[in-house]
């Protein structure tokens, strides 16, 4: 079975600072990895996904994530935080042939002016 | 494409009552998913349909829960004899069948959810 652990339920950064949200996965087979964002009163939106092509994946809104097999990690980064980035972020894992995503518990990102 | 619609957005009910949630997926998507999200947690998988066939159910889906997708379009999730522990956000998502070699990497499009409060 696959699982995801997101380190830090709440991350706070200053506007313009680096954003780093951590995600570690567990899977006995090569994983597919996703980051979703959830704004208040809205559905989850896909930020980016990894499907075994390039290990550095670029997503929307300036976010990117790097797949590191040796560290079983898929951390999400953004060089410069914007106030509009404040939201809840979820890392998720799936595998070949699976039909469902397994989500982490989420990280709430707060941006300080 | 109007996205995934869920109704109602909020439902407050008394313990023991039955509730039903409706999900209208993106029209060309043949896959539909239900997830449950409690406060401070990530979404947890409940069940999945491909067209009208319910192909997978989580152990979280007790006998009081039933989901249908009668014509392969909209879906309903019914909870009978609600309990306070059923209070959560119920999320619906849809996707199209991934015909690429990356089966399992389907992108799910989520609705805004139906929030249930059981008093």
């Amino acid at each position: 079975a696959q699982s995801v652990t997101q380190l830090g339920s709440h991350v706070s950064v200053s506007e313009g600072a680096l954003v780093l949200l951590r995600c570690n996965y567990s899977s006995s087979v090569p994983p597919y990895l996703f980051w979703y964002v959830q704004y208040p009163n809205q559905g989850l939106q896909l930020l980016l996904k990894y499907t075994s092509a390039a290990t550095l994946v670029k997503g929307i809104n300036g976010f990117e994530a790097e797949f590191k097999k040796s560290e079983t990690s898929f951390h999400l980064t953004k060089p410069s935080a914007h106030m509009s980035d404040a939201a809840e972020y979820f890392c998720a894992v799936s595998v070949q042939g699976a039909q469902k995503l397994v989500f982490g518990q989420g990280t709430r990102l707060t941006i300080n002016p | 494409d109007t996205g995934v619609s869920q109704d109602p957005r909020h439902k407050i009910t008394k313990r023991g009552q039955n509730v039903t949630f409706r999900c209208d997926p993106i029209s060309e998507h043949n896959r539909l998913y239900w997830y449950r999200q409690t406060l401070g947690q990530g979404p947890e998988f409940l069940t999945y349909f491909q067209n009208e066939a319910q192909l997978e159910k989580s152990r979280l889906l007790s006998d009081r829960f039933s989901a249908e997708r009668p014509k392969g379009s909209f879906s309903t999730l019914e909870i009978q004899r609600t309990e306070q522990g059923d209070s959560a956000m119920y999320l619906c998502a849809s996707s199209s069948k991934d015909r690429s070699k990356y089966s399992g990497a389907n992108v799910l499009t989520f609705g805004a959810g139906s929030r249930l409060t059981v008093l």
Side-chain angles (χ1 to χ4, degrees), chain A residues 35-112:
Chain A
W35 276 99
Y36 279 82
V37 60
Q38 186 176 33
Y39 298 102
N41 300 315
Q42 295 186 29
L44 281 77
Q45 303 172 28
L46 180 73
L47 276 178
L48 49 81
K49 71 174 183 180
Y50 165 78
T51 56
S52 78
T55 56
L56 182 62
V57 182
K58 294 187 183 299
I60 62 172
N61 301 336
F63 284 95
E64 62 183 36
E66 186 172 9
F67 173 71
K68 292 187 177 181
K69 183 179 178 180
S70 61
E71 299 177 9
T72 61
S73 69
F74 190 58
H75 301 332
L76 182 71
T77 60
K78 181 174 181 177
S80 178
H82 191 273
M83 295 298 292
S84 61
D85 295 327
E88 186 115 24
Y89 291 79
F90 294 95
C91 183
V93 63
S94 183
V95 295
Q96 178 79 14
Q99 304 306 332
K100 66 188 181 194
L101 294 179
V102 176
F103 285 87
Q105 77 275 25
T107 297
R108 180 166 299 277
L109 177 64
T110 301
I111 311 297
N112 301 313

Side-chain angles (χ1 to χ4, degrees), chain A residues 32 34 36 38 41-46 49-53 90 94-106, chain B residues 9-10 31 33 35 37 40-45 48 50 56 91 98 101-112:
Chain A
Y32 300 134
F34 305 76
Y36 279 82
Q38 186 176 33
N41 300 315
Q42 295 186 29
L44 281 77
Q45 303 172 28
L46 180 73
K49 71 174 183 180
Y50 165 78
T51 56
S52 78
F90 294 95
S94 183
V95 295
Q96 178 79 14
Q99 304 306 332
K100 66 188 181 194
L101 294 179
V102 176
F103 285 87
Q105 77 275 25
Chain B
R9 292 291 308 277
H10 303 274
R31 295 178 169 180
Y33 306 78
Y35 281 78
Q37 185 179 18
Q41 300 297 318
E44 298 173 292
F45 172 78
Y48 149 69
Q50 181 164 306
E56 188 173 350
L91 302 172
D98 188 347
K101 61 181 178 178
Y102 301 123
S103 165
N106 294 333
V107 173
L108 272 59
T109 301
F110 283 85

Side-chain angles (χ1 to χ4, degrees), chain B residues 34-81:
Chain B
W34 285 99
Y35 281 78
R36 181 174 71 185
Q37 185 179 18
T38 54
L39 200 61
Q41 300 297 318
E44 298 173 292
F45 172 78
L46 292 179
T47 189
Y48 149 69
F49 291 83
Q50 181 164 306
N51 300 314
E52 66 276 10
Q54 188 174 18
L55 298 184
E56 188 173 350
K57 292 169 59 174
S58 163
R59 295 175 185 175
L60 293 175
L61 217 63
S62 75
D63 291 345
R64 296 185 296 106
F65 288 70
S66 62
E68 295 182 344
R69 195 182 182 197
K71 298 183 179 179
S73 57
F74 74 92
S75 175
T76 58
L77 176 68
E78 181 183 15
I79 309 173
Q80 296 181 329
R81 305 181 303 282

